[in-house]
Amino acid sequence: MSIIKVENVVKTYTETAVPVHALNGVTLNIEKGEFTAIVGPSGCGKTTLLNILGGLDDATSGSVEVANTDLTELKDSQLIDFRLNNIGFVFQAYNLIPVLTNLENVEFIMLLQKRDKKERLARAMDLMQQMGIADKAKQRPSELSGGQQQRVAVARALASKPQFILADEPTANLDSKATSQLLDMMAKMNKDENATFIFATHDQRVMDKARRVVTLEDGVIVSDVTK
Amino acid sequence: MLLKIAWRNVWRSRGRSLVVMGAMVVGIWALIFGTGFMNGFLVGYMANIINNGVSNIQVHNPEFKKDFEVQYFITDGHKKAEEMRDWPGVKGTTTRMIVNGMIASPKKAAGVQIRGIDIDNEAIVTNLDSIISEGTYFEGVKRNPIVIGSKLAETLKVKLRSKVVLTFNNADGDITAAAFRIVGIVTSSSLNISQRYAFVRQQDLDKILGMNGQVHEIAVITEPLVEEDIIVEKYRAAYNHDLVESWREIAPELAFMQEMYGSMLYVLMGIIMVALVFGIVNTMLMAVLERFRELGMLMAVGMNKIRVFSMVLIETLYLGIVGAPIGLLVGWLTILYYEGAGVDLSNYSEGLESFGYSSILYPYVQSEAYFQIAIAVMVTALIGAIYPAWKAIKLKPVEALHSI
């Protein structure tokens, strides 16, 4: 079952002096439970595609259907709610809330979903245990290493039980060991929680771990390989 | 958790938050002290004028006030004054004979208003006995004692026991004169008392003036917080031929001054609040711009605009919740201290006294003013937060996430 259906998506940035065509007719289907990497050189349109899939940016033309919802039809406020309940985000710079503890960071997203406290705490602790950072629950993000912070970010992304997780260069700031640990844990979550992961990356280690690799060049998919 | 995040955000930039809170503390303190200072001026001035001068209510023959002709007396003035003493809310009444004339010493002469007073009741109504700075209150001289103000004594170049001659028209219109001996000198910030009035015993003046015990003025002092208009209306209902006026009519400049001080307080409050708004806008805008990426992330993961807007407002409110009570406390303590000790303005006493002000000022702030100031600060803080909060919700998550 496809949870993402992208058809002939074009994205052109016109704010620049010369229009920039970031995506030139991308068509892509992603099934539930995939562990997919979108790869390609810098400026090929990876992040733009991810932003469009995540409802953070809109396509100039083409259709974007995510979890049976046409994103182009949603207003800003509806998009925020849609993202809250359907999409998990992992960012390159972790983007945790520095004034909250790690546990509160994971819990926070469920609070926005108005889940009750007991459920929030139980799920947050469970996810932190699965990500191997339960002992860091009461600490603040600034007290953790980059790899540990990214694991908190993954736990946060999973907390809302999203349809899929978009991870934009999640390993870009991590060393080999932290990258390897993080990818193992994501793969485990992909298996255990049937969580769908879509990465935008140019990290070979992510490509090696991914079961499907979609390659973009100049805003066009040039290869789509399922291992 | 939104409250928790907002609270912790306040302390992210501790120095900056403390500066804004400090500005709030100073602003509120200045407002309270300014209010207290102005109230002290006003209350002191008005109390001085009312309690030592015009009294709360005065009664005259309607014709008397036109040109102070002695024949226009109040019918049965003594009886009416005595009757009013039993009215609820009336602290005291006194009667006066009033005639304009001249006072002359061997060296100088001056125009005065000669006031024939009932010395016992005058002491209750105007506390005249309490402001005697030299000599006594009509004691020690049996025949024609007189009390005059210190400035008048200076003008006439006289001192205690000096003889002065009062000249005026009697009830028949004839010019008459009599010698009086100075028994007391009063010092007051009221120019009328210190320079323009000469006080003599009613019975002494009556003998010369030929009034047969009739009086020109009844002065009434009320209990504190009593509304004069009720007593004025009661008197009007009982004796509709007399002219009865409250201090607001007798001294309209006082009522105007009271109103003007009220307006000045609002202006002062407005100036401080505007300064506070700019401080808050600046701080909160910095806080929002600094957290551009974080706010973008929050909106990206599903925090709606109402929550983002509320978070910025709550952060600002917290600044006020911490700053305002400290400011109120410091202001209250300052007023508490100076309410008892008074602010000594004796360096400027000459200038102040020429305007009828006392040289010791007792600041005073009504309890509801603290509440009003606290509300005003909170409202100001929220107004100051609106623009930064609006700026926060206008950001685009995709741009914010990629900002440096």
Side-chain angles (χ1 to χ4, degrees), chain A residues 16-17 25 47-48 51 55 60 69 86 105 115 117 120 124 133-134 146 154 156 182 200 204 208 210 215 226:
Chain A
T16 46
T47 299
T48 302
N51 286 339
T60 308
T69 305
N86 295 283
N105 263 284
R115 294 210 218 154
K117 194 172 181 179
R120 286 192 327 245
I133 44 170
V154 173
R156 179 181 67 184
L182 183 74
Q204 188 58 48
D208 293 344
T215 308
T226 304

Side-chain angles (χ1 to χ4, degrees), chain B residues 234-286:
Chain B
K234 190 173 175 179
Y235 188 93
R236 266 188 201 137
Y239 308 108
N240 62 353
H241 294 300
D242 295 339
L243 175 69
V244 54
E245 298 164 297
S246 74
W247 63 267
R248 287 186 184 82
E249 294 151 297
I250 304 161
E253 71 280 3
L254 277 188
F256 172 72
M257 190 179 231
Q258 197 179 30
E259 267 178 42
M260 197 184 69
Y261 267 68
S263 309
M264 278 167 69
L265 275 180
Y266 284 117
V267 171
L268 178 70
M269 194 184 270
I271 291 169
I272 291 174
M273 293 302 157
V274 166
L276 211 54
V277 162
F278 279 104
I280 288 167
V281 168
N282 180 43
T283 303
M284 292 314 295
L285 207 54
M286 277 168 75

Side-chain angles (χ1 to χ4, degrees), chain B residues 391-403:
Chain B
K391 194 93 178 156
I393 60 167
K394 281 291 154 194
L395 66 84
K396 291 196 165 128
V398 69
E399 287 168 12
L401 283 166
H402 295 104
S403 66

